[in-house]
Amino acid sequence: MSLTAIILAAGKSTRMKSKRPKALHEVCGKPMLHYILQACYGAGVTRALIVVGHGKDEVMAAFAHDQRIHWVEQTEMLGTGHAARMCVPELQKLKGDVFLLAGDVPLLRGQVLQTLLQQHRFEQAAASMATATLEDPTSYGRVVRDAEGNFLDIVEQLDTTPEQREIKEIFPSFYCAKVDELLYALSQLKNDNKKGEYYLTDIYGILRAAGRKIVAVQAATYEDVLAPNTRHQLAEADSVMQQRIQRALLEIGVSIVSPINTYIESGVTMGADTVIEPFTFIGRDSSIGAECCLGPFASIPRESIVPEGTTVAGNISEQTTILSQSGG
């Protein structure tokens, strides 16, 4: 059964006060959109429909190497539902299931999407969602369930009653749907709301009203749902990703003497028994051999190759004979 992802990446970086498209802001050396794609591919996605708008040429150029992507342009910003509608001509060629995700959730793990998809297919649902339980659910839509725990509705923060505001289960816009059911729901979307926009969240109410089965799966954590809108939030996401990168290296036998004084970008591979001393930077997609000693005060450029057993201390520019960089 085919599995497709729609990723909405047409947003600006208004609150970040940046000209760069939001999806291209980096977390640990790689664009936010990179991590979302990796989560999708890890869950079995074979084709990604990415909706672009602001800075579309820049976004497309950054991912021009990925043949699994089909680009879809949204020329008018009329809401998330409208963005998904731009994918209808491509969806009509497909069968199976589709994820719908925002382009600014870099900490989303493939495991969350796998869990969502498994439950969606097991329950034979028309559409499903991954939810998270947060201590502070402010600003998120609340997931309302009946006495038996079945999904009833998503209520936005502004529309909640005092009782609903106490609900801690939230919907972070992680969607999964059968392609044909999504096409039906998108055709029924209306924009009769205060903003005059088409909201993607309305697909659940449309399908439920038509007697279709909707499933809400508690699969995400606080980290998974972080969606940076400000530089402060971007730094928070970067910090969480840095912890994940370092944790993964520790688990394969790398020693990091002072994690707080070490920065390792995404995509770095490293052999066992390598030791990273304090105040060391390692650039993205570098390959470090086993039994190396890096630092203190080492700076290793992106895409470097450090052979097994190498000691690197101080500025790497003084030690270029022991390193090579891919592509030249």
Side-chain angles (χ1 to χ4, degrees):
M1 187 180 296
S2 71
L3 183 60
T4 304
I6 293 175
I7 302 173
L8 309 184
K12 297 181 179 180
S13 303
T14 305
R15 291 173 62 188
M16 289 187 188
K17 297 178 174 59
S18 173
K19 295 179 180 178
R20 179 184 294 183
K22 191 175 183 184
L24 291 188
H25 280 271
E26 292 187 352
V27 171
C28 290
K30 292 196 176 181
M32 289 198 283
L33 181 55
H34 161 82
Y35 296 103
I36 301 158
L37 283 167
Q38 293 309 303
C40 288
Y41 297 150
V45 166
T46 56
R47 185 168 175 78
L49 308 179
I50 301 185
V51 181
V52 289
H54 172 71
K56 66 182 178 69
D57 293 336
E58 193 177 347
V59 178
M60 292 167 67
F63 292 88
H65 61 282
D66 193 336
Q67 300 302 308
R68 293 164 290 188
I69 294 175
H70 180 87
W71 301 101
V72 178
E73 185 176 2
Q74 183 186 20
T75 54
E76 296 179 278
M77 301 294 111
L78 300 177
T80 52
H82 176 260
R85 271 186 171 177
M86 297 298 96
C87 298
V88 166
E90 289 302 312
L91 288 173
Q92 288 172 335
K93 304 173 187 176
L94 304 172
K95 296 186 181 298
D97 298 299
V98 57
F99 292 123
L100 296 99
L101 305 164
D104 61 354
V105 282
L107 298 172
L108 171 63
R109 295 167 296 140
Q111 177 186 339
V112 173
L113 297 180
Q114 288 174 342
T115 300
L116 172 59
L117 180 66
Q118 288 168 2
Q119 198 64 21
H120 169 76
R121 289 179 172 174
F122 177 77
E123 298 275 0
Q124 297 185 325
S128 304
M129 69 189 77
T131 69
T133 300
L134 306 183
E135 280 304 309
D136 181 8
T138 305
S139 80
Y140 286 97
R142 307 303 203 278
V143 176
V144 181
R145 297 177 183 264
D146 64 19
E148 285 73 43
N150 299 309
F151 170 80
L152 285 180
D153 199 6
I154 298 168
V155 181
E156 296 302 325
Q157 170 82 19
L158 291 174
D159 300 321
T160 54
T161 64
E163 293 77 16
Q164 289 170 337
R165 262 192 295 278
E166 297 301 313
I167 296 173
K168 297 187 182 297
E169 185 180 12
I170 61 96
F171 174 55
S173 298
F174 300 161
Y175 301 76
C176 184
K178 292 180 179 178
V179 170
D180 56 343
E181 300 285 8
L182 176 62
L183 286 169
Y184 167 75
L186 290 176
S187 73
Q188 300 299 307
L189 285 180
K190 293 182 171 53
N191 64 342
D192 49 358
N193 52 63
K194 290 181 180 178
K195 288 188 175 181
E197 294 184 351
Y198 297 91
Y199 295 137
L200 191 53
T201 47
D202 289 347
I203 69 169
Y204 292 116
I206 290 168
L207 291 172
R208 190 167 177 272
R212 312 294 210 275
K213 187 173 186 178
I214 307 297
V215 173
V217 186
Q218 297 185 39
T221 67
Y222 165 75
E223 290 184 357
D224 294 304
V225 308
L226 283 175
N229 284 311
T230 65
R231 300 282 185 171
H232 177 81
Q233 292 169 342
L234 188 65
E236 182 182 6
D238 195 282
S239 178
V240 173
M241 185 64 73
Q242 183 61 204
Q243 291 174 30
R244 289 184 182 179
I245 290 169
Q246 293 195 20
R247 190 181 307 124
L249 290 172
L250 292 169
E251 289 173 354
I252 63 169
V254 172
S255 290
I256 303 175
V257 176
S258 179
I260 196 170
N261 292 312
T262 300
Y263 193 86
I264 305 168
E265 291 191 327
S266 180
V268 171
T269 60
M270 205 170 297
D273 290 321
T274 281
V275 177
I276 305 174
E277 299 287 353
F279 307 105
T280 293
F281 167 85
I282 304 172
R284 71 183 181 208
D285 297 327
S286 290
S287 177
I288 314 296
E291 300 181 7
C292 293
C293 184
L294 310 179
F297 298 100
S299 180
I300 297 176
R302 291 174 171 179
E303 301 180 5
S304 293
I305 299 173
V306 180
E308 180 176 341
T310 301
T311 295
V312 182
N315 194 315
I316 200 65
S317 64
E318 300 169 2
Q319 306 177 63
T320 53
T321 56
I322 61 172
L323 291 171
S324 62
Q325 287 180 260
S326 61

